[in-house]
Amino acid sequence: MDDFTLDFTSDPLSTLDDLDPFPSDQEEEHSAIPVVLLSLDQGKFDAQRSLDELAALAEANGMEAVATVCQKRSTPEAATMLGEGKVAEARLVCMNTRAEAAIFDGELSGSQIRNLSAALQVEVLDRTMLILEIFKSRASTNEGKLQTELAMLRYQLPRLQGLGEALSRQGGGGGGGGGARRGAGETKLELDRRHLHHRIEHLEGRLKELEKRRGETRRARQKNNVPVVALVGYTNVGKSSLMNALCGAEIFEADMLFATLDPTARRLTLPSGLTVVLVDTVGFVSRLPHHLVDAFKSTLEEAAYADVILKVADASDSEAAAQLAVTDEVLESLGCSDIPQIVVYNKCDKPGAISFDPAVLLTSAKTGRGLDELLKRLDEALSHRVRTIEVLLPYDKLSLADILRSRGSVMEEEYRPDGVYYKGTVKIDDLHRFEDYMV
């Protein structure tokens, strides 16, 4: 299968260009690529729900799911995952629908990809490859691109041997003069594997440097005592829209899975006057490949260092509880269980939004509903950072009023004969500056 054969001859550091059956420039120029979805239902999860999500992932990658072939089977077929009869059925479906590719809802080995492709006579991807393709096309920052490439290489490494016979050809050797023989040399497989290992080590080193810089930025925030609020949740629940609505930022948003990948941070001032940094993280998805969790761990760790975590779910999705379960699972793996968390059900303006208990926080980034309550909840969660005070500042001490305005907030101000009366909020760290002037 030539499209999935790695060749490092021309460029030893090239990664997945040869594995990219759908280049991004073709996606933009042509209509959606018809694909058939394949699934093996072993009863371990909701297969139909997972297929619906796979169809949405395909759409996010410029594809259109035109048919589905699902088999209920307790144990997978070693060579093709699906049984021989189902594979034959899938071949007919691909022919009748003129599908250009098939996507399997799960992970496949290199040999399984090769066998299925030969049987179906179309390109075959698995769920992880599809997500990696999306990440590859969406990552815009240097760190995001490096993380995506690292995840791709880690995914490829154990699959090199099964991707094609071309990988087993000899890289050297041959006859010599006078009947002498040279050594056989290393195989193409060994050469490719060595190049992958070198590239992985190089990427890991560069990411460690970027992670060190991220740590310095994080320490600067802590030194300045700036609270951090992390937006986490399932992909396409409206985290970017929520950040835009709260901060007035212009972050790309779209109704699709993984519309934004790279983390962004924006400054937000709460009603109490407390300034926080709102951080948007990469979205989650059910059965998120561990290659991606590991590669994006430095990005996701923004949540681990946050003062408050906003867990966002889709109020219009009947599977909102399952979305939150996926979010909790990833957060637990990052050690975030001790951080205060606020659950937010976004998109409550959409038809079919679930009716929740009045105590549950419903928001709509589109209409603005619930945003004031959300800011109030954040103030309450961070109340230990600020204090409401009443002070009478003498006229020769009005420089303190600048601190009150810039690092806190002023609710009341009154000029009196002996000074200026203020009622407002200040950070706990600034409280000592006003102790001599408390009313």
Side-chain angles (χ1 to χ4, degrees), residues 244-318:
N244 286 339
L246 291 172
C247 304
E250 291 300 327
I251 301 171
F252 176 74
E253 55 186 75
D255 187 15
M256 65 172 67
L257 301 188
F258 297 119
T260 53
L261 292 180
D262 300 303
T264 52
R266 296 291 184 270
R267 191 171 295 272
L268 172 66
T269 302
L270 301 179
S272 66
L274 181 65
T275 299
V276 302
V277 173
L278 191 61
V279 180
D280 185 15
T281 61
V282 64
F284 307 142
V285 69
S286 64
R287 295 184 289 135
L288 185 68
H290 66 274
H291 313 278
L292 290 179
V293 174
D294 291 342
F296 281 80
K297 198 163 188 178
S298 61
T299 302
L300 294 172
E301 278 181 349
E302 285 295 323
Y305 290 93
D307 295 273
V308 179
I309 294 176
L310 289 182
K311 294 193 301 185
V312 187
D314 187 345
S316 64
D317 196 325
S318 60

Side-chain angles (χ1 to χ4, degrees), residues 232 284 293 297 303-304 309 311 324-338 341:
V232 300
F284 307 142
V293 174
K297 198 163 188 178
I309 294 176
K311 294 193 301 185
L324 288 174
V326 172
T327 302
D328 288 336
E329 182 180 342
V330 178
L331 288 177
E332 186 176 353
S333 70
L334 295 172
C336 302
S337 55
D338 296 335
Q341 300 179 3

